[in-house]
Amino acid sequence: MSQQVKALEAKIQKGSDALGSLLTMAKASENAERYSDMCFFMKQLVDAKVKKGEDLTVEERNLLSVAYKNAVGARRASWRTLILDEYKANDLIAEYKKKVSGEMKDICSEVLSVLEDTLVPYVKKETATEADDSPKFEALVFYLKMAGDYYRYLSEIVVGEGYEKKAEKMYQEGTTLAEKHLIATHPIRLGLALNFSVCYYEILKNPTAACDMAKKAFDAAISKLDSLDEASYKDSTLIMQLLRDNLTLWTSANDKDGPEEIETGAGKEDE
């Protein structure tokens, strides 16, 4: 992070509305497509709000997701290009891959720290005495899904560190809560099922579990489609379409006695 951005953050903290200023800078960074800066401002916002005993609003947690998704997304795309067969015998490219993977690991580690050290423990404490229909469970599922996503990204580039099991653990914990506290058509519950099924297929190499999970989520949502409210209709139906697309792709591959090698990045995932 540049000294100029850190100096700007210090100036914000001295102001009368630090939270509002951090949010403004995060939005400005998004508009300017400066996602590393956006991550910095959102991380400061998380710390400041939790210290005040407040969780993120829906808008703020979506901004947190956008910031880190875009910051790591560019590196994931670069990594997938650099591991193509045409580059495998090039020593210079091998060194360059280390740089890209190092940047990915730094970003994933940072957001996982925000989630596991701050947001998840805080919201878990808040939900301990809440009713089953409390909106705070939505936030907790959202954060657990995010944690699963970033462990999944780490497992794409690092072998032997157990990141795939950590991804599965986070996704499973989120799924258990989602099935208890969120309706079947809720976009966060559907997005979690989508990404967990992609994890099963691409990372854990379990096509059967991937198809079972995707089909279960799709069928449950279809049966409750008439309960969708207008606000979530577009998001929910889009994710349902992605679930169906993956099921079609994976079932086709299984019908051919399975692919020789399961390709990472083939499955569609929730953004």
Side-chain angles (χ1 to χ4, degrees):
M1 185 56 55
S2 70
Q3 292 300 317
Q4 290 91 338
V5 171
K6 289 182 178 179
L8 182 59
E9 191 269 338
K11 184 176 182 180
I12 288 171
Q13 295 295 354
K14 294 178 181 178
S16 59
D17 183 20
L19 294 180
S21 297
L22 286 168
L23 185 59
T24 296
M25 292 307 303
K27 291 178 178 179
S29 300
E30 179 186 16
N31 291 336
E33 298 184 6
R34 299 271 298 179
Y35 296 110
S36 293
D37 293 344
M38 187 181 180
C39 290
F40 176 79
F41 289 120
M42 287 307 302
K43 184 175 183 296
Q44 302 307 310
L45 182 66
V46 168
D47 289 342
K49 292 206 72 171
V50 171
K51 283 179 182 177
K52 287 186 66 177
E54 299 177 14
D55 185 22
L56 301 183
T57 65
V58 173
E59 178 190 32
E60 289 164 350
R61 73 179 187 227
N62 286 337
L63 286 170
L64 178 72
S65 178
V66 166
Y68 283 98
K69 178 73 76 171
N70 279 280
V72 83
R75 277 80 174 182
R76 286 181 80 205
S78 299
W79 174 261
R80 288 174 177 174
T81 298
L82 295 173
I83 61 175
L84 294 175
D85 288 342
E86 62 190 277
Y87 293 124
K88 284 186 176 178
N90 190 311
D91 291 340
L92 290 175
I93 297 297
E95 288 299 313
Y96 192 44
K97 281 167 57 181
K98 290 180 182 178
K99 178 182 187 304
V100 174
S101 64
E103 291 176 358
M104 273 189 66
K105 284 188 277 189
D106 288 345
I107 295 167
C108 291
S109 296
E110 180 177 290
V111 68
L112 284 167
S113 176
V114 171
L115 292 164
E116 294 187 291
D117 297 340
T118 304
L119 287 171
V120 169
Y122 176 77
V123 181
K124 277 186 175 180
K125 184 178 179 181
E126 289 290 295
T127 57
T129 57
E130 293 289 317
D132 284 351
D133 59 351
S134 169
K136 292 181 180 179
F137 285 105
E138 177 184 301
L140 182 53
V141 173
F142 183 95
Y143 299 140
L144 290 168
K145 172 187 172 292
M146 271 189 76
D149 288 342
Y150 286 93
Y151 275 123
R152 174 163 58 91
Y153 303 155
L154 281 172
S155 67
E156 291 175 353
I157 61 169
V158 180
V159 178
E161 294 293 331
Y163 291 130
E164 69 281 358
K165 291 299 181 184
K166 290 182 179 180
E168 183 180 18
K169 179 178 180 293
M170 291 296 172
Y171 283 140
Q172 186 57 66
E173 185 177 351
T175 298
T176 300
L177 288 169
E179 290 179 349
K180 181 177 180 181
H181 300 287
L182 305 182
I183 60 173
T185 54
H186 197 295
I188 294 176
R189 176 172 166 175
L190 285 168
L192 171 59
L194 176 64
N195 287 9
F196 196 180
S197 64
V198 169
C199 183
Y200 267 128
Y201 192 86
E202 297 183 357
I203 305 302
L204 299 171
K205 310 301 183 187
N206 190 338
T208 300
C211 291
D212 288 348
M213 173 161 288
K215 186 176 187 305
K216 178 183 176 183
F218 182 84
D219 289 348
I222 280 288
S223 70
K224 301 292 184 180
L225 205 56
D226 57 354
S227 67
L228 263 177
D229 57 42
E230 188 174 342
S232 61
Y233 183 85
K234 182 178 179 182
D235 289 340
S236 296
T237 53
L238 174 59
I239 299 171
M240 290 171 67
Q241 181 64 54
L242 297 177
L243 283 163
R244 188 165 65 177
D245 289 347
N246 284 350
L247 269 172
T248 301
L249 174 67
W250 297 339
T251 303
S252 175
N254 289 343
D255 287 344
K256 297 175 183 177
D257 296 324
E260 292 184 4
E261 182 177 349
I262 294 176
E263 179 185 355
T264 299
K268 299 176 181 178
E269 58 189 82
D270 179 39
E271 297 299 323

